[in-house]
Amino acid sequence: MPSRRFPDGFLWGTSTSSFQVEMGRGEPASGSDWWTWVHDEENIRRGNASGAFPEQGPGFWELYRQDLERARRELGNNAVRLSMDWARIFPKPTIDAPVRVERDENGDVMGVEVSDATMRPLKALADPAAVARYRDIFSTANKLGLTVFLTLYHWPLPSGLHDPIACRDNLAGATRRGWLDQQTVVEYAKYAAFAAATFGDLVDLYATINEAPMVCKYGYLHDRVHFPPGLNDVGLFLTAFKNLAIAHGLGYEQVKTWDTSSATGRGPAEVGVVTVMEQYDPHDPSNELDRRAAEFNRYLWNEWNLNAVIKGDYDMNLDGAIDPGERRPHQAKGCDFIGADYYLRETVRHKAKGGDPRFDYEFTPSRGRTSDTGWEIHPEGLGNVLQWAFRNYRRPLYVTENGVADAGDKLRVEYLTSHIEQVHKAIEGGTPVRGYFYWSLIDNYSWFSGYRSKFGLFSVDVNTKERRPTNGVAAYRDIATRNSLSE
Ligand code: BGC
């Protein structure tokens, strides 16, 4: 049997995001669109939000030392993926910090020049307590031997840039329109520059944006589950999708410019994008319409964003072809790696709905094994998406999220092991995967579904904040410490 070792230096970690784990102890982070969204009574009444609140969360903001120690000692990890709350760093608007903005022939922002004259007001606007806390979180991780993988944007936008309720109720009259406006892209570039300048000595590995497809799908296209601002319009969806891809490029440039010091000897800054990739299969493989619907989903959710970010191909009419006006190489500033978030297989069936025919599909209930969230467990899909991404884009990869909602603690060990097996196979087949981050270190606040889904390797009692190891802990520690799967 071939060795099932992983390459030297492979990163083993877990993933979390600020909004989902920080609150529950200390000052709540109430300055974002997501905060407003989940507290809005109308949203709760309509079922767009669960009525559970992030301030009942696991309290990482104060308990980070013990959680990071767990990651190191109990999981044997050498890395950890975290995000920052943009609105904690900048509770006040940054719009007045001066920058030179360059636009392309479409009127889209293509360059933001952040200078020392920008950085001075940004430093004055940043909240010193939040900066100090994040510095302590990152340096605690580093001292423990955990390489920090920092996500700059994992969904909450500062309220000064997005009023999701005004957008939901009357978009035409709304002034703070989040990712629909390129002002947000410009402010994101400033935030990325500031983050790189401020935390660069502690961080070498950055993700610009987490899962742009989900932000756009659930915020602008979906008729069932809602993210802020809960709209359903293909045109708005594409505008947000485009702006998030442009933001990646500008964030990439800023981090490369402003982070000049190396924390771990890897070099100052490796910067990539994190996107969600799932396996999409037709409900009935012999049915041409089902096959087309599955392929459209694969293209839209797995591929569109990466084509824009890496190649500068912005397929604005979603026809699968890149017309001359959709070729925008000047927006593809760089992407050192692809972060793949993989959870499940979707089975897709054609269904006429009477609207835009491209969206004539539905997801059908899985015929395989499912998790508490009803997601189909399909480890082979992870191998498939990793290999596909490398074939298409020739970038190294990290698995930045992969995990299972499993309150009964029956599925986690097998889920973890079988997916890591697929990572190993992909590496053996020549796909350069550099790390694996399990979602999640601890149970956390799962956006519109609140605390129902239990993704943590450590379960959390929301009342006492007590952490308890699940069966996944010993299994993951065994793999991570030996850098190898058992024979
Ligand atoms: C997101 C996480 C989320 C997880 C499980 C991912 O798509 O990045 O924030 O908690 O899915 O639902």
Side-chain angles (χ1 to χ4, degrees), residues 63-74:
L63 302 175
Y64 59 95
R65 270 196 201 86
Q66 45 156 290
D67 283 333
L68 293 170
E69 272 171 19
R70 270 184 198 100
R72 180 61 182 175
R73 309 224 159 95
E74 293 184 53

Side-chain angles (χ1 to χ4, degrees), residues 20 154-155 210-211 214 341 343 375 401 439 444 446-447 455:
Q20 296 181 268
H154 197 134
W155 301 355
N210 181 71
E211 297 188 3
M214 293 298 110
D341 290 0
Y343 288 91
W375 296 356
E401 285 178 35
W439 183 274
N444 56 56
S446 235
W447 311 108
F455 278 93

Side-chain angles (χ1 to χ4, degrees), residues 132-166:
R133 178 61 54 91
Y134 281 121
R135 282 197 64 82
D136 198 48
I137 294 173
F138 304 152
S139 65
T140 302
N142 284 336
K143 280 183 206 138
L144 283 164
L146 298 166
T147 295
V148 174
F149 186 127
L150 176 61
T151 310
L152 295 174
Y153 171 74
H154 197 134
W155 301 355
L157 277 176
S159 301
L161 295 173
H162 194 203
D163 179 346
I165 307 305

Side-chain angles (χ1 to χ4, degrees), residues 3-6 420-429 485:
S3 146
R4 302 218 292 176
R5 275 192 69 75
F6 283 77
I420 292 175
E421 268 169 12
Q422 290 296 321
V423 176
H424 189 262
K425 268 197 197 154
I427 296 174
E428 294 264 281
L485 280 155

